[in-house]
Amino acid sequence: MSKAKLLFDLIMYVNTKRSFTAQDVADEFGVSIRTAHRYLADIDEMGVPLYTEPGRGGGYRVLNNRTLPPIVFDEHEAFAIFFAFQSLRNYPSLPFNININSVSRKLYASLPADSRHKADRLGSVLAFWHPAKTVPSPYLSLIIEAAAEQRVLQIEYVSKNENTRREVEPAGVYAYGGFWYMPALDRASGEIRLFRTDRIAALEGTSETFVRQLRLDDWLQRLAASEPKDPVRLYAELNREGVRQCRSQPWLEPYLVMTGPEHGHVDVEIDRNELPFASDFFFRLGTSAKVIEPREAIEYIRREARERLRHYS
């Protein structure tokens, strides 16, 4: 076996272990203990984070932040991963404390010269973009760890009128529109609530565990096909610009109906507690849309228009 192949196999071996001795390595690979120590020193220099435990019963341990063994990707797979990283650049916070630029540089440097040139060309015509956010979410890793271990969290949450203290059972986190969200059971109300993680002002982990009542994938499926608890019909007529704006909204696009080359309408049932959000959206569309019902949305738009006129009078 060549030394390169042996070192590759050794990296895979130590990544499956939490602790081991040089004798374990020597027995596994049929080499002397002295050679085992030398090869372990070689992979340590290659970036595998090892540390030694001296004394009787000591040996080697691998740090939690272990280096993965080399993985071979074809060109299309490498490009897909490289540009997937680019899609995360505008998130001010990421789990696992990774530096996207550093990871991207490592992957880019590993590409052959012709593939790097191709990546440069693709980078000038391909982007996964969303508006950059500046508010960090410093507790992402702690939330993910607590959700995985089913541990209760105590959080201070920035609500509309005041900061509130809550005990929650987190289901996990997901990214949407440049923000991170945490669906969790609010213990005080007994209801599932959705928290934006950048609005968590303080967080403390506890040793108390919980029985999981909500899985993250179930929440996301429910979100995609949710039925309003208190349904109200939202009907609005649209001109060309209104059609264009509504087509860019995931919550409205499936319910857009074209009634002519440049006109259409939306007809959808939403939850009553979503009326302020929906009314504000159509208020901002101005004369590009006209809400026909519900009456509450029309009154909201009229009230906001009067306030705007009063503000500038």
Side-chain angles (χ1 to χ4, degrees), residues 5 19 25 39 65-66 70 85 91 113 120 125 156 161 169 177-178 181 192 204 216 236-238 265 297:
K5 176 67 166 59
S19 63
V25 173
Y39 286 166
N65 186 25
R66 292 181 287 180
F85 285 147
Y91 283 88
D120 292 338
V125 297
E156 179 184 346
N161 298 317
E169 300 175 5
Y181 294 88
I192 303 297
E204 296 178 14
L216 183 61
E237 296 175 348
L238 311 166
H265 67 257

Side-chain angles (χ1 to χ4, degrees), residues 29-242:
F29 292 93
V31 297
S32 67
I33 291 181
R34 182 176 179 180
T35 301
H37 281 299
R38 188 170 71 249
Y39 286 166
L40 288 166
D42 287 341
I43 66 170
D44 184 54
E45 290 180 2
M46 292 166 62
V48 178
L50 302 175
Y51 74 96
T52 58
E53 295 180 317
R56 185 171 184 150
Y60 290 86
R61 289 183 65 85
V62 184
L63 298 177
N64 288 334
N65 186 25
R66 292 181 287 180
T67 300
L68 294 175
I71 303 173
V72 179
F73 297 110
D74 66 30
E75 186 178 72
H76 286 176
E77 291 170 335
F79 287 158
I81 296 170
F82 179 76
F83 285 104
F85 285 147
Q86 311 312 303
S87 70
L88 299 174
R89 279 186 167 175
N90 287 341
Y91 283 88
S93 300
L94 293 170
F96 314 120
N97 298 317
I98 62 171
N99 183 312
I100 287 297
N101 291 329
S102 173
V103 174
S104 296
R105 282 195 301 269
K106 290 178 182 178
L107 182 57
Y108 181 84
S110 71
L111 296 173
D114 60 328
S115 294
R116 288 200 296 271
H117 293 320
K118 186 172 181 179
D120 292 338
R121 293 196 304 272
L122 290 174
S124 67
V125 297
L126 173 65
F128 296 89
W129 184 87
H130 58 78
K133 310 299 182 185
T134 58
V135 183
S137 296
Y139 303 113
L140 281 179
S141 296
L142 294 176
I143 294 170
I144 292 171
E145 183 179 337
E149 297 179 356
Q150 297 175 221
R151 283 189 289 104
V152 175
L153 291 176
Q154 295 178 346
I155 65 172
E156 179 184 346
Y157 194 67
V158 181
S159 301
K160 183 176 181 180
N161 298 317
E162 61 180 355
N163 289 16
T164 56
R165 298 283 300 183
R166 306 166 187 248
E167 273 197 347
V168 298
E169 300 175 5
V173 298
Y174 66 92
Y176 179 75
F179 293 106
W180 291 95
Y181 294 88
M182 175 187 72
L185 175 71
D186 185 335
R187 287 188 144 190
S189 66
E191 297 181 354
I192 303 297
R193 300 287 173 84
L194 186 62
F195 302 93
R196 241 177 60 184
T197 60
D198 58 286
R199 292 177 178 167
I200 298 177
L203 180 147
E204 296 178 14
T206 72
S207 58
E208 184 180 358
T209 59
F210 61 87
V211 177
R212 190 180 303 282
Q213 299 185 42
L214 174 68
R215 293 178 59 87
L216 183 61
D217 54 354
D218 292 338
W219 167 267
L220 294 175
Q221 290 176 18
R222 187 187 309 172
L223 203 63
S226 60
E227 295 290 334
K229 295 180 180 178
D230 185 9
V232 58
R233 185 189 185 206
L234 174 65
Y235 182 86
E237 296 175 348
L238 311 166
N239 65 12
R240 177 188 175 94
E241 176 60 13

